[in-house]
Each structure stands twice: as structure tokens, then as C-alpha cells.
Amino acid sequence: ELQNAKDCGYGVIYTIAPSPIKEDMIWIGTDDGLIQLTKNAGKNWQNVTPLSIPLWGRVDAISPSYFSDNEAYAAINTHRLDKLNPIILKTKDGGNTWQTIINGIPVDEYVNTVKADPIKKGLLYAATNRSVYVSFNDGENWQVLSLNLPTTQIRDLLVHNSDLIAGTQGRGIWILDNLSSLR
């Protein structure tokens, strides 16, 4: 167990995720494993960190839903703790409760990001240290979406219009054109 902050990281905000549908609602995640939520543009913050996030589990990404202001998804990266396992969390009640949604992602891959599709409710994308995954049922099940993508660490994903863009660790970018077949 880590005894103090100097052992692993800096305790900084690592991700900022404004709600795409509710003005003044912002989610933040830190590199020491905290999730905070404001519903009034930062005047007040609520700690909504689930107990399932290990100390110093880095909150790499939060993806608020495009369909409900109380729904969000969080990708927790634990590779700095020598824990190479996936952690993706989902809340449907503004962070009061969280559910782990990793069925189908190999147990030895850690997650760098999760993104909700802005057009199709329940369509999610996740990036790991080896590949890209897709879920058609709001994270209940995942399957690999690599197509011609080589085995490489994917650091971030972006849904841009009808394309999925993956930023890799040192290899460049990968674009899946036209998501209509997935949607």
C-alpha cells in the first residue's frame, strides 16, 4: 500500500468533462483516484468517488452521456500500481452509485479511455493498452474493434462526426471511417 502522495503521482486533475447536455455540470477526475462533480459551474463540488477505485488509480477519462445528465462513464488506469486490469465504471444517478462494466475486455489489459457515442444511446468505445473495444449495450458486454489496427496502446479516442479516431502511443492515429454500421 502507498503511504503518502510522493510515492506515486501528484494528486492533480487529470481529466475535465463538461456535460454535453446540462450547462454548469462538470465532472473531474484526478490522478490519485478521485471523481468530483459540480452541477453549478464549480461553486460547489461533490465527491462522487466509488470505493472500487484503488488509491492512486488514475481517472484517465470521464465521458458524460449525451442522453441523460445523470449518466457518465469513467476509465480508471492502474498500470502505475502494477495492476494491469481493466476498470470502466458507469453511473446512472449522478455518481451516487457506480457499476463496473468490463465483461469482454481481457483481464490483463488496462483502460486508457472510454467514450460514449453522441448519436447512438448505449454505444460505447474503450481504448486499452492493446486495442479498441466497442459495446453495443451500454457496457454490459465488450468486443474488440481492431479491424486493421495493429496491437498497440491506444491513449485516446474521439468520435468526430461519423468517424472514430484513435490516438496511439507512439505509432500515430487510426481512423475508422463511417460509424453508421456500428450505430
Side-chain angles (χ1 to χ4, degrees), residues 6-25:
K6 69 180 183 179
D7 289 332
C8 186
Y10 303 99
V12 299
I13 295 173
Y14 204 79
T15 187
I16 301 172
S19 170
I21 59 173
K22 186 172 184 184
E23 188 174 340
D24 297 337
M25 186 173 194

Side-chain angles (χ1 to χ4, degrees), residues 16-173:
I16 301 172
S19 170
I21 59 173
K22 186 172 184 184
E23 188 174 340
D24 297 337
M25 186 173 194
I26 306 167
W27 300 80
I28 64 166
T30 66
D31 76 339
D32 58 350
L34 299 177
I35 298 177
Q36 304 275 333
L37 173 64
T38 181
K39 295 181 180 181
N40 57 12
K43 292 182 183 117
N44 304 97
W45 289 90
Q46 178 184 5
N47 184 345
V48 296
T49 306
L51 295 176
S52 58
I53 297 179
L55 178 64
W56 294 104
R58 189 172 69 202
V59 182
D60 266 10
I62 300 173
S63 184
S65 170
Y66 289 86
F67 303 97
S68 169
D69 59 352
N70 284 317
E71 289 184 14
Y73 308 88
I76 315 303
N77 184 321
T78 56
H79 87 275
R80 297 181 308 175
L81 304 172
D82 289 331
K83 296 179 180 178
L84 305 181
N85 57 297
I87 302 175
I88 302 174
L89 303 171
K90 170 175 70 173
T91 183
K92 291 185 171 190
D93 57 10
N96 291 321
T97 61
W98 294 85
Q99 173 188 2
T100 301
I101 52 169
I102 57 167
N103 187 39
I105 299 176
V107 297
D108 60 346
E109 292 187 34
Y110 59 87
V111 180
N112 290 313
T113 194
V114 61
K115 300 289 182 183
D117 190 273
I119 305 296
K120 176 74 172 168
K121 183 172 175 48
L123 180 58
L124 305 175
Y125 310 97
T128 72
N129 61 312
R130 292 194 192 137
S131 196
V132 175
Y133 291 84
V134 63
S135 173
F136 298 102
N137 55 6
D138 205 31
E140 296 301 316
N141 298 290
W142 294 89
Q143 62 188 52
V144 70
L145 181 69
S146 61
L147 304 171
N148 64 347
L149 177 68
T151 300
T152 189
Q153 182 169 178
I154 308 299
R155 290 292 307 139
D156 204 1
L157 296 170
L158 173 68
V159 179
H160 179 70
N161 297 324
S162 63
D163 299 334
L164 179 66
I165 303 168
T168 69
Q169 181 74 32
R171 291 190 66 131
I173 62 170

